[in-house]
Amino acid sequence: KELKLPTVKDSLEDIIADADAEKWNYRKFLRVLLQREIEQRIENRKYVRIRKANFAQMKYLQELVREDLPVDGRNRLPEFETLNFIREGRNIVMYGNPGTGKTHIAIGLGIKACMEGYNVYFTTVPHLLTQIREAKTNRTLQSLETRFKKFDLVICDEMGYVGFDKEGAELLFNMISTRTG
C-alpha cells in the first residue's frame, strides 16, 4: 500500500498460489507480479485519458453504421482509423449536414487515439471561444495556449452551428494556429 502498488496488493495471493502450483522461481514470481501491475497501470491510463478528453458522449467507431455514412466519409474512414494524421501533424475537417455522423466519427477517432496513448481534447467551438475570451479577459491567454498545444489531438465540434463576430473568428483562428508548426 505504501508503495502504491494496488494490483500487486489485490492479486498477490492468487499469484502466490500459481507460483506454488507451478513451482516458479523467485524471478518468474516477481516478473509476473510486477507485469500484472504494469498492465493494469497501462489500462488505467487509457481510461484517464478518455476521461480527461472531456467527450460529450461515448461513441465508438465499431458502433458506426458505415453504410449510413456519406460516401466520402465511408471511403476516408479506414485511412483516418490508422491515426496517421496525428503522427503526421495533419488536420481533418469534416463538414456536412447534421446527422451524417461527423461527431460520431470524431469522438470514435478520439477514443481510439486515447486508447493508443495520445492525449486528446474534445470541445465545441462555442465552448472553446468562451474559454478563449475568458482567458483574454483574465490575461491568462498564454497559459491556455500552452495547455492547448500539449494535446496530440484536438477535436472542435459544432463549428457551423453558432456564428461569431470578427474578433471571435480571429481569436479562434489564432488559438488553432498555435498548434501548427
PDB file of all heavy atoms in Angstrom, residues 76-90:
ATOM      1  N   ARG A  76     -13.118   7.474 -46.654  1.00  0.00           N
ATOM      2  CA  ARG A  76     -11.933   8.025 -45.967  1.00  0.00           C
ATOM      3  C   ARG A  76     -11.724   7.434 -44.578  1.00  0.00           C
ATOM      4  O   ARG A  76     -10.620   7.497 -44.038  1.00  0.00           O
ATOM      5  CB  ARG A  76     -12.066   9.543 -45.834  1.00  0.00           C
ATOM      6  CG  ARG A  76     -12.170  10.324 -47.125  1.00  0.00           C
ATOM      7  CD  ARG A  76     -10.941  10.290 -48.015  1.00  0.00           C
ATOM      8  NE  ARG A  76      -9.734  10.740 -47.407  1.00  0.00           N
ATOM      9  CZ  ARG A  76      -9.247  11.986 -47.455  1.00  0.00           C
ATOM     10  NH1 ARG A  76      -9.902  12.921 -48.095  1.00  0.00           N
ATOM     11  NH2 ARG A  76      -8.115  12.297 -46.878  1.00  0.00           N
ATOM     12  N   LEU A  77     -12.762   6.864 -43.996  1.00  0.00           N
ATOM     13  CA  LEU A  77     -12.682   6.378 -42.619  1.00  0.00           C
ATOM     14  C   LEU A  77     -11.550   5.380 -42.386  1.00  0.00           C
ATOM     15  O   LEU A  77     -10.822   5.513 -41.393  1.00  0.00           O
ATOM     16  CB  LEU A  77     -14.031   5.802 -42.175  1.00  0.00           C
ATOM     17  CG  LEU A  77     -14.158   5.474 -40.701  1.00  0.00           C
ATOM     18  CD1 LEU A  77     -13.828   6.673 -39.823  1.00  0.00           C
ATOM     19  CD2 LEU A  77     -15.570   4.974 -40.395  1.00  0.00           C
ATOM     20  N   PRO A  78     -11.324   4.388 -43.244  1.00  0.00           N
ATOM     21  CA  PRO A  78     -10.208   3.462 -42.998  1.00  0.00           C
ATOM     22  C   PRO A  78      -8.853   4.173 -42.884  1.00  0.00           C
ATOM     23  O   PRO A  78      -8.023   3.813 -42.052  1.00  0.00           O
ATOM     24  CB  PRO A  78     -10.247   2.517 -44.204  1.00  0.00           C
ATOM     25  CG  PRO A  78     -11.670   2.557 -44.664  1.00  0.00           C
ATOM     26  CD  PRO A  78     -12.126   3.970 -44.409  1.00  0.00           C
ATOM     27  N   GLU A  79      -8.658   5.194 -43.684  1.00  0.00           N
ATOM     28  CA  GLU A  79      -7.420   5.983 -43.610  1.00  0.00           C
ATOM     29  C   GLU A  79      -7.340   6.715 -42.275  1.00  0.00           C
ATOM     30  O   GLU A  79      -6.297   6.732 -41.626  1.00  0.00           O
ATOM     31  CB  GLU A  79      -7.382   6.973 -44.773  1.00  0.00           C
ATOM     32  CG  GLU A  79      -6.193   7.912 -44.740  1.00  0.00           C
ATOM     33  CD  GLU A  79      -6.308   9.028 -45.771  1.00  0.00           C
ATOM     34  OE1 GLU A  79      -7.131   8.933 -46.698  1.00  0.00           O
ATOM     35  OE2 GLU A  79      -5.553  10.004 -45.635  1.00  0.00           O
ATOM     36  N   PHE A  80      -8.447   7.315 -41.852  1.00  0.00           N
ATOM     37  CA  PHE A  80      -8.466   8.046 -40.581  1.00  0.00           C
ATOM     38  C   PHE A  80      -8.209   7.112 -39.401  1.00  0.00           C
ATOM     39  O   PHE A  80      -7.541   7.480 -38.435  1.00  0.00           O
ATOM     40  CB  PHE A  80      -9.805   8.753 -40.375  1.00  0.00           C
ATOM     41  CG  PHE A  80     -10.112   9.833 -41.389  1.00  0.00           C
ATOM     42  CD1 PHE A  80     -11.416  10.249 -41.576  1.00  0.00           C
ATOM     43  CD2 PHE A  80      -9.115  10.422 -42.156  1.00  0.00           C
ATOM     44  CE1 PHE A  80     -11.718  11.241 -42.501  1.00  0.00           C
ATOM     45  CE2 PHE A  80      -9.405  11.412 -43.088  1.00  0.00           C
ATOM     46  CZ  PHE A  80     -10.720  11.823 -43.255  1.00  0.00           C
ATOM     47  N   GLU A  81      -8.737   5.892 -39.483  1.00  0.00           N
ATOM     48  CA  GLU A  81      -8.602   4.939 -38.376  1.00  0.00           C
ATOM     49  C   GLU A  81      -7.158   4.521 -38.107  1.00  0.00           C
ATOM     50  O   GLU A  81      -6.848   4.052 -37.020  1.00  0.00           O
ATOM     51  CB  GLU A  81      -9.450   3.689 -38.648  1.00  0.00           C
ATOM     52  CG  GLU A  81     -10.927   3.951 -38.484  1.00  0.00           C
ATOM     53  CD  GLU A  81     -11.776   2.737 -38.817  1.00  0.00           C
ATOM     54  OE1 GLU A  81     -11.703   2.242 -39.958  1.00  0.00           O
ATOM     55  OE2 GLU A  81     -12.513   2.288 -37.914  1.00  0.00           O
ATOM     56  N   THR A  82      -6.278   4.722 -39.054  1.00  0.00           N
ATOM     57  CA  THR A  82      -4.854   4.423 -38.817  1.00  0.00           C
ATOM     58  C   THR A  82      -4.234   5.425 -37.848  1.00  0.00           C
ATOM     59  O   THR A  82      -3.177   5.160 -37.285  1.00  0.00           O
ATOM     60  CB  THR A  82      -4.050   4.460 -40.126  1.00  0.00           C
ATOM     61  OG1 THR A  82      -4.023   5.807 -40.625  1.00  0.00           O
ATOM     62  CG2 THR A  82      -4.603   3.491 -41.166  1.00  0.00           C
ATOM     63  N   LEU A  83      -4.870   6.568 -37.692  1.00  0.00           N
ATOM     64  CA  LEU A  83      -4.397   7.691 -36.865  1.00  0.00           C
ATOM     65  C   LEU A  83      -3.080   8.277 -37.383  1.00  0.00           C
ATOM     66  O   LEU A  83      -2.408   9.023 -36.681  1.00  0.00           O
ATOM     67  CB  LEU A  83      -4.266   7.285 -35.384  1.00  0.00           C
ATOM     68  CG  LEU A  83      -5.534   6.782 -34.704  1.00  0.00           C
ATOM     69  CD1 LEU A  83      -5.249   6.440 -33.251  1.00  0.00           C
ATOM     70  CD2 LEU A  83      -6.670   7.781 -34.809  1.00  0.00           C
ATOM     71  N   ASN A  84      -2.732   7.969 -38.620  1.00  0.00           N
ATOM     72  CA  ASN A  84      -1.512   8.542 -39.199  1.00  0.00           C
ATOM     73  C   ASN A  84      -1.582  10.065 -39.258  1.00  0.00           C
ATOM     74  O   ASN A  84      -0.557  10.734 -39.168  1.00  0.00           O
ATOM     75  CB  ASN A  84      -1.258   7.984 -40.604  1.00  0.00           C
ATOM     76  CG  ASN A  84      -0.725   6.567 -40.554  1.00  0.00           C
ATOM     77  OD1 ASN A  84      -0.168   6.120 -39.551  1.00  0.00           O
ATOM     78  ND2 ASN A  84      -0.917   5.836 -41.636  1.00  0.00           N
ATOM     79  N   PHE A  85      -2.772  10.616 -39.388  1.00  0.00           N
ATOM     80  CA  PHE A  85      -2.904  12.069 -39.451  1.00  0.00           C
ATOM     81  C   PHE A  85      -2.378  12.723 -38.175  1.00  0.00           C
ATOM     82  O   PHE A  85      -1.835  13.833 -38.224  1.00  0.00           O
ATOM     83  CB  PHE A  85      -4.359  12.491 -39.743  1.00  0.00           C
ATOM     84  CG  PHE A  85      -5.333  12.197 -38.640  1.00  0.00           C
ATOM     85  CD1 PHE A  85      -5.646  13.163 -37.696  1.00  0.00           C
ATOM     86  CD2 PHE A  85      -5.947  10.955 -38.546  1.00  0.00           C
ATOM     87  CE1 PHE A  85      -6.551  12.897 -36.681  1.00  0.00           C
ATOM     88  CE2 PHE A  85      -6.857  10.679 -37.538  1.00  0.00           C
ATOM     89  CZ  PHE A  85      -7.151  11.652 -36.596  1.00  0.00           C
ATOM     90  N   ILE A  86      -2.488  12.044 -37.042  1.00  0.00           N
ATOM     91  CA  ILE A  86      -1.957  12.596 -35.786  1.00  0.00           C
ATOM     92  C   ILE A  86      -0.433  12.562 -35.836  1.00  0.00           C
ATOM     93  O   ILE A  86       0.230  13.565 -35.559  1.00  0.00           O
ATOM     94  CB  ILE A  86      -2.473  11.808 -34.562  1.00  0.00           C
ATOM     95  CG1 ILE A  86      -3.996  11.894 -34.453  1.00  0.00           C
ATOM     96  CG2 ILE A  86      -1.822  12.348 -33.282  1.00  0.00           C
ATOM     97  CD1 ILE A  86      -4.595  10.994 -33.380  1.00  0.00           C
ATOM     98  N   ARG A  87       0.113  11.414 -36.174  1.00  0.00           N
ATOM     99  CA  ARG A  87       1.578  11.262 -36.236  1.00  0.00           C
ATOM    100  C   ARG A  87       2.195  12.237 -37.228  1.00  0.00           C
ATOM    101  O   ARG A  87       3.310  12.722 -37.015  1.00  0.00           O
ATOM    102  CB  ARG A  87       1.936   9.826 -36.612  1.00  0.00           C
ATOM    103  CG  ARG A  87       1.695   8.826 -35.505  1.00  0.00           C
ATOM    104  CD  ARG A  87       2.142   7.423 -35.889  1.00  0.00           C
ATOM    105  NE  ARG A  87       1.136   6.684 -36.651  1.00  0.00           N
ATOM    106  CZ  ARG A  87       0.070   6.110 -36.117  1.00  0.00           C
ATOM    107  NH1 ARG A  87      -0.163   6.194 -34.830  1.00  0.00           N
ATOM    108  NH2 ARG A  87      -0.780   5.444 -36.879  1.00  0.00           N
ATOM    109  N   GLU A  88       1.474  12.523 -38.313  1.00  0.00           N
ATOM    110  CA  GLU A  88       1.992  13.412 -39.359  1.00  0.00           C
ATOM    111  C   GLU A  88       1.654  14.876 -39.117  1.00  0.00           C
ATOM    112  O   GLU A  88       2.031  15.744 -39.898  1.00  0.00           O
ATOM    113  CB  GLU A  88       1.445  12.962 -40.718  1.00  0.00           C
ATOM    114  CG  GLU A  88       1.921  11.577 -41.116  1.00  0.00           C
ATOM    115  CD  GLU A  88       1.136  10.977 -42.270  1.00  0.00           C
ATOM    116  OE1 GLU A  88       0.196  11.639 -42.794  1.00  0.00           O
ATOM    117  OE2 GLU A  88       1.453   9.829 -42.653  1.00  0.00           O
ATOM    118  N   GLY A  89       0.922  15.165 -38.056  1.00  0.00           N
ATOM    119  CA  GLY A  89       0.567  16.549 -37.738  1.00  0.00           C
ATOM    120  C   GLY A  89      -0.410  17.169 -38.711  1.00  0.00           C
ATOM    121  O   GLY A  89      -0.404  18.377 -38.919  1.00  0.00           O
ATOM    122  N   ARG A  90      -1.252  16.335 -39.337  1.00  0.00           N
ATOM    123  CA  ARG A  90      -2.245  16.853 -40.284  1.00  0.00           C
ATOM    124  C   ARG A  90      -3.587  17.056 -39.590  1.00  0.00           C
ATOM    125  O   ARG A  90      -3.867  16.453 -38.564  1.00  0.00           O
ATOM    126  CB  ARG A  90      -2.418  15.873 -41.454  1.00  0.00           C
ATOM    127  CG  ARG A  90      -1.201  15.805 -42.349  1.00  0.00           C
ATOM    128  CD  ARG A  90      -1.415  14.921 -43.561  1.00  0.00           C
ATOM    129  NE  ARG A  90      -1.613  13.533 -43.167  1.00  0.00           N
ATOM    130  CZ  ARG A  90      -2.620  12.765 -43.576  1.00  0.00           C
ATOM    131  NH1 ARG A  90      -3.531  13.237 -44.407  1.00  0.00           N
ATOM    132  NH2 ARG A  90      -2.721  11.519 -43.172  1.00  0.00           N
TER     133      ARG A  90
END
